[in-house]
């Protein structure tokens, strides 16, 4: 088996994650799609670290994990605070910035 | 860790292909991961999608270990599966498990565009990966000569020390940001215990009972929850039966016990077999007959039916 199979798998997972972000409306599932994309990127980074024979790729993946942890904390806090005020976790209901006036 | 690495030999042979064991691991895990990830797209409930993502992340940890990234494999389990996905599950419980997706499209044609974009992204990535040329895989034997964590630490604390500091600051900021975002402003002034006690005493004028309600059950005869307690005048206390039992209609008939008291008050204690005429009367007598009752109980030498003192709170009612 070639090592590049891992990269193909990473691309597949990334596409699924991106589709979840585009298609789902539950904010939490959208957020999990983002996490899946980050994980797929990590898999690609680890694989390329192995192909190139140095560990910088793994270090990058490590930093991606840390930043993802921070991002999840803030993102979920935003989702919870939106849910508290609007009683909904759907991304469609967060339309406070939308101009609802009738076109003149 | 050494057992893990010996179980999963990550060595590459001269032509750059993996060992058979790693190939088997890949072909077992990859379909599971794709199915778990597809759960994100097709699961109707958010919890099922989260479980699918957890499966993907644990499988990813296996793949990291198989690819000589032992440290990242452990971190993947600890950080992603242990912390991040559990946080997701907690928020799901907080937001409501049954908050499912609405199927109405607010943007016209969004679903079609989304599917096309997702497929297009997959095609583009596949094209790039398929057409790119990779050098012969080197493998990490040399880089991991001093074990994988040591090699990583030399790079992180050597070349990327400043980035590590910034990431630490980012984590602190994120924790603080989460606290600020979920902080709820107090809109009403806080009532302390003193004020609450004063309010309760002030409500006495409106007929609110200050003390705890009497406990149900006529001691020495019944202590069941559905039997109303008897007051000092021998009247059953409706408030002593828990509200839930009263609402369900499972309360014992108070008149039955009141009738017995009436019999006693009428001096018919001995003639317990024949029903006195008061037995069928509704509860109407409200004058306290404590003296007569006391006389009756002292005559027979028994403990009169007494209202049960209790330590329970109003919340039980």
């Amino acid at each position: 088996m070639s090592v590049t199979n891992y990269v193909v798998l990473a691309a597949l997972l990334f596409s699924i994650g991106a589709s979840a972000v585009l298609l789902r409306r539950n904010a939490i599932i959208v957020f999990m799609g983002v996490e899946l994309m980050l994980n797929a990127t990590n898999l690609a980074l680890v694989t390329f670290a192995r192909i190139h024979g140095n560990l910088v790729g793994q270090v990058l993946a490590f930093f991606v994990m840390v930043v993802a942890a921070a991002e999840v904390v803030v993102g979920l806090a935003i989702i919870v605070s939106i849910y508290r005020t609007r009683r909904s976790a759907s991304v469609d209901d967060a339309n406070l910035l939308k101009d609802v006036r009738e076109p003149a | 860790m050494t057992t893990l690495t010996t179980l999963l030999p990550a060595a590459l042979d001269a032509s750059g292909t993996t060992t058979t064991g790693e190939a088997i691991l890949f072909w077992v895990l990859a379909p599971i991961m794709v199915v778990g990830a597809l759960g994100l797209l097709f699961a109707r409930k958010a919890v099922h999608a989260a479980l699918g993502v957890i499966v993907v992340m644990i499988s990813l940890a296996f793949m990291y270990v198989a690819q000589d990234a032992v440290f990242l494999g452990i971190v993947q389990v600890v950080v992603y599966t242990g912390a991040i996905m559990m946080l997701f599950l907690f928020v799901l419980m907080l937001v409501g498990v049954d908050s499912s997706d609405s199927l109405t499209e607010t943007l016209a044609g969004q679903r079609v565009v989304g599917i096309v974009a997702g497929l297009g992204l997959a095609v583009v990535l596949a094209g790039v990966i398929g057409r790119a040329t990779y050098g012969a895989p080197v493998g990490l034997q040399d880089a991991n000569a001093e074990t994988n964590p040591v090699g990583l630490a030399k790079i992180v604390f050597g070349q990327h020390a400043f980035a590590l500091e910034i990431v630490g600051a980012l984590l602190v900021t994120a924790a603080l940001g989460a606290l600020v975002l979920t902080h709820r402003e107090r809109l009403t002034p806080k009532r302390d215990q003193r004020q609450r006690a004063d309010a309760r005493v002030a409500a006495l004028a409106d007929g609110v009972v200050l003390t705890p309600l009497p406990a149900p059950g006529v001691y020495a005869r019944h202590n069941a929850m559905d039997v109303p307690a008897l007051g000092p005048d021998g009247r059953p206390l409706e408030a002593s039966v828990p509200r839930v039992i009263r609402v369900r209609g499972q309360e014992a008939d108070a008149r039955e016990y009141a009738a017995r008291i009436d019999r006693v008050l009428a001096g018919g204690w001995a003639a317990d077999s024949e029903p006195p005429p008061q037995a069928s009367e509704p509860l109407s007598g409200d004058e306290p007959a404590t003296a007569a009752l006391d006389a009756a109980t002292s005559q027979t030498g028994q403990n009169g039916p007494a209202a049960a003192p209790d330590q329970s709170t109003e919340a039980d009612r």
Side-chain angles (χ1 to χ4, degrees):
Chain A
M1 186 191 84
S2 169
V3 182
T4 50
N5 283 12
Y6 286 108
V7 187
V8 176
L9 178 65
L12 203 54
L13 291 180
F14 191 94
S15 307
I16 294 174
S19 308
V21 172
L22 290 173
L23 291 173
R24 298 304 294 256
R25 292 207 170 75
N26 190 334
I28 298 174
I29 296 185
V30 169
F31 215 55
M32 283 193 277
V34 175
E35 289 305 309
L36 192 63
M37 286 196 280
L38 286 169
N39 269 291
T41 316
N42 277 351
L43 181 60
L45 282 171
V46 168
T47 308
F48 282 126
R50 190 183 183 195
I51 290 177
H52 289 288
N54 70 30
L55 290 172
V56 177
Q58 291 189 14
V59 170
L60 271 180
F62 172 70
F63 279 122
V64 168
M65 281 182 187
V66 178
V67 174
E71 170 236 343
V72 160
V73 168
V74 175
L76 286 180
I78 290 174
I79 289 176
V80 167
S81 62
I82 287 180
Y83 178 80
R84 270 191 196 154
T85 52
R86 314 211 52 150
R87 286 282 142 206
S88 164
S90 172
V91 289
D92 281 344
D93 293 339
N95 54 2
L96 280 174
L97 289 176
K98 187 180 176 185
D99 188 5
V100 292
R101 285 176 303 178
E102 291 293 319
Chain B
M1 237 175 244
T2 48
T3 52
L4 272 178
T5 44
T6 47
L7 274 177
L8 296 168
L12 300 167
D13 61 12
S15 60
T17 56
T18 61
T19 57
T20 316
E22 192 183 337
I24 291 172
L25 181 82
F26 180 85
W27 289 117
V28 169
L29 282 185
I32 295 176
M33 288 168 73
V34 172
V35 168
L38 284 178
L40 200 56
L41 278 180
F42 297 112
R44 198 156 285 280
K45 289 183 176 176
V47 176
H48 297 167
L51 291 179
V53 175
I54 289 174
V55 167
V56 172
M57 286 176 175
I58 293 177
S59 311
L60 269 177
F62 276 99
M63 287 196 170
Y64 290 166
V65 174
Q67 288 202 288
D68 267 349
V70 183
F71 178 71
L72 279 186
I74 305 292
V75 170
Q76 173 84 10
V77 172
V78 172
V79 172
Y80 263 112
T81 321
I84 292 183
M85 289 318 293
M86 290 310 119
L87 200 61
F88 267 105
L89 285 180
F90 270 119
V91 169
L92 273 178
M93 300 303 155
L94 211 63
V95 165
V97 181
D98 50 5
S99 66
S100 52
D101 264 0
S102 63
L103 292 175
T104 53
E105 291 198 38
T106 47
L107 294 173
Q110 186 226 357
R111 181 159 301 153
V112 178
V113 173
I115 291 172
V116 169
L119 285 179
L121 180 67
V123 168
V124 167
L125 286 176
V128 169
I129 290 168
R131 295 183 67 86
T133 53
Y134 308 92
V138 180
L140 289 170
Q141 275 76 34
D142 294 337
N144 277 347
E146 301 173 88
T147 73
N148 178 250
V150 172
L152 276 182
K154 281 191 172 159
I155 298 176
V156 170
F157 297 110
Q159 301 168 23
H160 299 285
F162 189 59
L164 190 76
E165 299 286 337
I166 291 178
V167 159
L170 176 74
L171 278 177
V172 174
T173 315
L176 207 64
L179 283 180
V180 170
L181 279 172
T182 53
H183 177 69
R184 230 193 281 231
E185 204 67 44
R186 177 176 283 282
L187 298 175
T188 53
K190 190 174 169 75
R191 297 175 70 212
D192 56 7
Q193 200 176 7
R194 176 86 225 167
Q195 285 163 326
R196 245 178 271 174
D198 288 345
R200 220 176 295 159
V201 173
L204 264 180
D206 304 331
V208 176
V209 183
L210 189 63
T211 55
L213 294 172
V218 181
Y219 287 167
R221 276 188 180 275
H222 306 276
N223 56 3
M225 291 291 282
D226 61 338
V227 179
L230 299 180
D233 54 348
R235 299 284 105 199
L237 300 170
E238 291 279 346
S240 66
V241 179
R243 194 174 50 85
V244 176
I245 292 181
R246 271 186 281 156
V247 168
R248 285 185 190 155
Q250 294 172 332
E251 182 181 11
D253 193 6
R255 277 175 301 185
E256 179 189 335
Y257 301 97
R260 196 169 292 151
I261 295 302
D262 287 336
R263 271 204 311 277
V264 172
L265 294 184
W269 183 266
D272 211 8
S273 53
E274 57 182 34
Q278 293 100 321
S280 58
E281 272 185 17
L283 293 170
S284 56
D286 51 356
E287 55 180 353
T290 324
L293 181 67
D294 284 343
T297 50
S298 61
Q299 234 176 6
T300 52
Q302 282 184 349
N303 285 333
D310 73 339
Q311 283 92 27
S312 62
T313 60
E314 281 185 36
D316 295 340
R317 298 292 124 81

